[in-house]
Amino acid sequence: MPTDYGNYVDGEWVESESGETFEVHNPANTEEVVSRHQSSTTADTESAIEAAVAAQEEWATTPGPSRGAILREAASTLEDRKAEATETLVREEGKTRSEAGGEVQRAIDIFYYYAEKTRDLGGTVKSPSGTDKELYTKREPLGVVGLITPWNYPIAIPTWKLAPALAAGNTVVLKPASAAPNVARILFECLDDAGLPDGVANYVTGSGSEVGSPLAESEDVDGVSFTGSTGVGTMVAQTAANDLKRVQCEMGGKNPTVVMPSADIEEAAETIGVGAFGTTGQSCTATSRAIVHEDVYDEFVDAITDYAESLEVGSGLDDPGMGPHVSESELSSTLEYVDIGQDEGATLETGGQRLSDGDYEDGYFVAPTVFSDVDNDMRIAQEEIFGPVLAVIPTSDFEEGLEIANDVDFGLSASILTQDLSEANEFVERVESGVAKVNEKTTGLELHVPFGGMNASSSETYREQGEEGMDYFTIIKTVYDNY
């Protein structure tokens, strides 16, 4: 029988005042109910905000290393529970075991990283213009922050927002995505076990209207950090701006990899295949456009088609090459884009169909999909699909390839595959994306460097992760000290 889980508010696991719950189903076997969670109300969200406000001053004045010790203990507890967290993630979101295990490990590493960064919190000392004075800055917590996170990385993204927020001395209310809220619950159990004071971190499940909107609207919330679609992120930013909240939004992508003639084509197919079909294409940094030089275009199309057809699709519990979509709506959206691509005149090389026979009968499975003969003005080359669909676009030379790469509304991650150092450096300098890579897939991030996009991929305010991940959650005070 599935377990009913509560909200975590003011150090207690509590039920919603609505008395209602929602179910989370295994996307590989929709007959299986994985868990039930609270259908929270606006009043539930307000209670969590009140708890965070009440706890904020004491947590802000807790020495940084003491805050770090709690994060370090939470990391250790999560490490002990890695197998449980991995299986929870697989069952609710659909990732393969390998993908889910890597994501949980990333969450562990992020907690450890920011546990140590608490020792570096401080400011800068400058030389004053006169004598008998000191001039310096200090960083202080922003205050109470609302964190709104997506389903596609349901433990990594909550962690990379939660850890720096807590490390910097903020109190938090987290709204996880309703499609996959359960693995984030484990984070709060680990923090609770680590001795986090009541009210410092709060977890509230439910709809965007009842939980997300109140976080963006509340005058008691000092900042909102959001990851999700560009449409929703724009609304969150606009709402939060009404009372001048600090806003951080990381959103969609339409990420290109440019393939030049000097690249090894078999290696290129594998690099792009992993970027396009890993996590079932449900990554904001997924490779959705392969921009391939015409001299190697046909060879690449054959190689990427073979790669796609070689992938085993199945339940994440069996650790196949690719798992299911997270939901019926995500699957339907991908299939709709397959129809759009064909209607626009692109050539469907492989895939594009729902898998529904045998073991696939009760899941949201789709075959990895490759389109060739794609023009960059087609919708499948311009709009974020968020599924395992790759558009292969021809280019006559480097300049045209770079122009195509930049010719979208988004600007999150981009890469080039080449053995020409001049092309590589020119690409890094001129590509319009927050992440630029050479001879690497567009997915995959290091936790100790900044992450974020440009254009419609980001609010372009503050970066996440690394040392810069702390900047969003702090505010600078400048001190003039005369003696």
Side-chain angles (χ1 to χ4, degrees):
M1 292 291 292
T3 301
D4 288 18
Y5 294 105
N7 292 329
Y8 184 71
V9 177
D10 203 16
E12 300 288 338
W13 292 98
V14 297
E15 295 182 357
S16 167
E17 70 164 23
S18 72
E20 298 178 357
T21 60
F22 62 90
E23 295 181 340
V24 175
H25 293 255
N26 182 344
N29 176 16
T30 58
E31 297 296 311
E32 178 190 350
V33 178
V34 176
S35 55
R36 296 189 181 91
H37 299 268
Q38 303 302 305
S39 293
S40 301
T41 65
T42 298
D44 295 320
T45 308
E46 290 171 348
S47 294
I49 294 170
E50 290 170 4
V53 170
Q56 206 284 314
E57 183 176 356
E58 183 175 353
W59 183 244
T61 56
T62 300
S66 298
R67 297 195 297 263
I70 291 175
L71 294 181
R72 192 177 304 109
E73 182 62 26
S76 177
T77 304
L78 182 58
E79 199 164 20
D80 292 340
R81 299 179 64 179
K82 180 179 177 180
E84 173 199 353
T86 297
E87 178 136 345
T88 298
L89 199 163
V90 172
R91 288 189 180 278
E92 71 172 354
E93 195 271 344
K95 280 189 173 74
T96 67
R97 280 192 185 273
S98 295
E99 293 166 344
E103 182 178 343
V104 174
Q105 185 61 52
R106 185 179 186 84
I108 294 165
D109 294 342
I110 289 169
F111 267 136
Y112 278 129
Y113 175 81
Y114 283 109
E116 301 311 314
K117 296 306 291 181
T118 57
R119 298 179 183 275
D120 293 337
L121 277 170
T124 58
V125 177
K126 298 294 184 179
S127 180
S129 300
T131 59
D132 300 330
K133 64 170 56 179
E134 292 181 348
L135 182 62
Y136 61 94
T137 66
K138 56 183 296 188
R139 283 192 173 270
E140 298 182 346
L142 189 60
V144 176
V145 293
L147 311 179
I148 303 173
T149 58
W151 51 260
N152 61 322
Y153 285 90
I155 192 168
I157 294 179
T159 305
W160 81 47
K161 295 179 187 291
L162 187 62
L166 296 177
N170 299 276
T171 55
V172 170
V173 179
L174 171 74
K175 180 212 173 299
S178 294
N182 201 22
V183 72
R185 167 192 57 82
I186 295 175
L187 292 177
F188 286 79
E189 291 180 348
C190 292
L191 287 166
D192 186 72
D193 290 344
L196 189 74
D198 296 348
V200 171
N202 305 273
Y203 161 94
V204 183
T205 58
S207 68
S209 60
E210 296 293 328
V211 184
S213 293
L215 288 176
E217 294 167 358
S218 174
E219 294 181 356
D220 290 325
V221 174
D222 301 293
V224 177
S225 180
F226 168 90
T227 299
S229 71
T230 299
V232 175
T234 300
M235 290 189 291
V236 168
Q238 291 170 341
T239 300
N242 287 332
D243 64 347
L244 302 181
K245 281 184 183 60
R246 185 177 287 188
V247 180
Q248 176 187 57
C249 294
E250 291 302 330
M251 300 174 285
K254 195 65 183 174
N255 310 294
T257 294
V258 176
V259 182
M260 297 305 293
S262 60
D264 182 296
I265 298 306
E266 290 299 324
E267 290 182 5
E270 182 171 356
T271 298
I272 291 174
V274 173
F277 307 129
T279 67
T280 320
Q282 298 175 138
S283 298
C284 55
T285 56
T287 310
S288 54
R289 294 182 297 151
I291 302 166
V292 183
H293 194 283
E294 59 190 18
D295 289 354
V296 292
Y297 186 84
D298 290 341
E299 182 183 358
F300 176 81
V301 169
D302 289 343
I304 192 64
T305 299
D306 289 344
Y307 179 90
E309 292 176 347
S310 73
L311 286 176
E312 179 189 0
V313 180
S315 168
L317 295 171
D318 299 327
D319 206 25
M322 192 178 89
H325 263 302
V326 72
S327 67
E328 180 74 45
S329 62
E330 292 296 326
L331 172 62
S332 296
S333 176
T334 292
L335 295 175
E336 181 180 352
Y337 273 107
V338 171
D339 290 340
I340 289 169
Q342 291 176 295
D343 291 343
E344 289 180 314
T347 300
L348 179 61
E349 295 286 346
T350 189
Q353 75 275 18
R354 179 172 187 168
L355 305 177
S356 56
D357 294 335
D359 292 340
Y360 300 128
E361 182 178 3
D362 294 320
Y364 303 129
F365 296 100
V366 65
T369 303
V370 176
F371 278 104
S372 64
D373 304 318
V374 178
D375 292 328
N376 201 53
D377 59 357
M378 292 181 177
R379 288 180 61 188
I380 61 169
Q382 289 290 318
E383 299 175 12
E384 186 176 40
I385 297 174
F386 225 63
V389 179
L390 178 68
V392 187
I393 304 167
T395 182
S396 59
D397 55 28
F398 172 80
E399 285 296 329
E400 184 187 28
L402 181 62
E403 181 181 349
I404 293 170
N406 288 335
D407 187 24
V408 289
D409 292 335
F410 302 98
L412 186 52
S413 182
S415 71
I416 186 170
L417 306 181
T418 181
Q419 296 303 309
D420 186 315
L421 186 59
S422 295
E423 290 174 346
N425 289 338
E426 190 79 5
F427 181 84
V428 168
E429 288 296 319
R430 295 169 58 193
V431 73
E432 296 172 7
S433 66
V435 177
K437 297 186 173 188
V438 176
N439 295 324
E440 188 176 326
K441 63 186 188 296
T442 57
T443 54
L445 304 166
E446 298 272 7
L447 64 87
H448 56 293
V449 290
F451 169 66
M454 296 178 178
N455 304 325
S457 291
S458 175
S459 58
E460 298 183 334
T461 47
Y462 292 83
R463 290 309 198 212
E464 297 192 291
Q465 304 193 84
E467 293 184 11
E468 288 77 2
M470 301 280 277
D471 291 349
Y472 172 75
F473 295 107
T474 57
I475 192 163
I476 296 174
K477 178 180 288 184
T478 304
V479 180
Y480 296 75
D481 184 5
N482 294 270
Y483 56 90

